[in-house]
Amino acid sequence: MALKGSADVPAGLKPIKPYISVAREHDVRDPVVAYFCRRFAMEKAMSMPNTQPEDKKFLMFLMTQLEKSKKELAGHEALKSEVVGQAQLENHALKVFLWADNEDRAGRFNKNVVKSFYTSSLLFDVMSTFEEPPEEIEKTKKVC
């Protein structure tokens, strides 16, 4: 289910590149999270001016990948129910954030901690595809 060519996000779609990277990192670990990251990237890209042929080509590729992933994940409750999907994404984002926060508080601050804080902030962004995130998520997001 890996999105081959994700490093080749065209310059015109640079704002979605971090979400594609997070999706790639989660392809094996949590395919549902990867799906929601790509869906968010697609939604974000659709609101951008995509005038370059390479932008349109990449978006068509991304749409194909999303449809393929949706079929592969058809049995997952998270794709059948927005509430379950939001809960799964929220739990994962909080798990990543809490790991980084605990490491930081323990004085073990390194590039993995920074990357985890950054990843959790991106996952909190992805949660905006669902209904309004809970207030505690908004507070946690501000820390990232």
Side-chain angles (χ1 to χ4, degrees):
M1 198 180 336
L3 181 61
K4 292 182 175 63
S6 57
D8 300 322
V9 175
L13 297 174
K14 186 177 178 183
I16 70 166
K17 190 172 183 171
Y19 303 100
I20 296 298
S21 295
V22 171
R24 228 181 355 156
E25 292 168 7
H26 285 80
D27 276 332
V28 174
R29 187 178 334 156
D30 194 333
V32 172
V33 170
Y35 171 81
F36 286 128
C37 288
R38 286 191 180 96
R39 187 176 87 171
F40 178 79
M42 175 59 78
E43 291 170 2
K44 188 173 177 100
M46 296 304 278
S47 68
M48 298 166 50
N50 301 303
T51 55
Q52 299 301 317
E54 60 269 13
D55 295 350
K56 292 178 183 177
K57 183 178 177 183
F58 183 82
L59 290 177
M60 291 302 294
F61 176 71
L62 186 55
M63 279 188 235
T64 302
Q65 284 299 119
L66 279 168
E67 287 302 314
K68 182 181 175 192
S69 296
K70 194 171 184 177
K71 287 178 185 173
E72 290 174 0
L73 299 170
H76 286 268
E77 191 63 31
L79 267 59
K80 295 177 185 176
S81 167
E82 289 281 309
V83 173
V84 175
Q86 181 177 4
Q88 183 170 339
L89 187 59
E90 180 180 325
N91 286 338
H92 186 71
L94 284 172
K95 184 173 103 178
V96 173
F97 173 80
L98 289 173
W99 179 86
D101 189 48
N102 288 337
E103 290 296 299
D104 183 29
R105 290 174 191 266
R108 295 184 295 264
F109 195 78
N110 57 44
K111 68 179 180 176
N112 290 331
V113 173
V114 173
K115 187 173 194 280
S116 293
F117 274 128
Y118 181 62
T119 298
S120 68
S121 75
L122 293 171
L123 292 170
F124 290 136
D125 288 347
V126 172
M127 286 181 58
S128 69
T129 63
F130 301 104
E131 292 182 18
E132 194 64 31
E135 189 175 316
E136 79 176 51
I137 295 298
E138 288 299 319
K139 289 179 184 175
T140 305
K141 187 177 177 180
K142 289 178 183 177
V143 174
C144 295

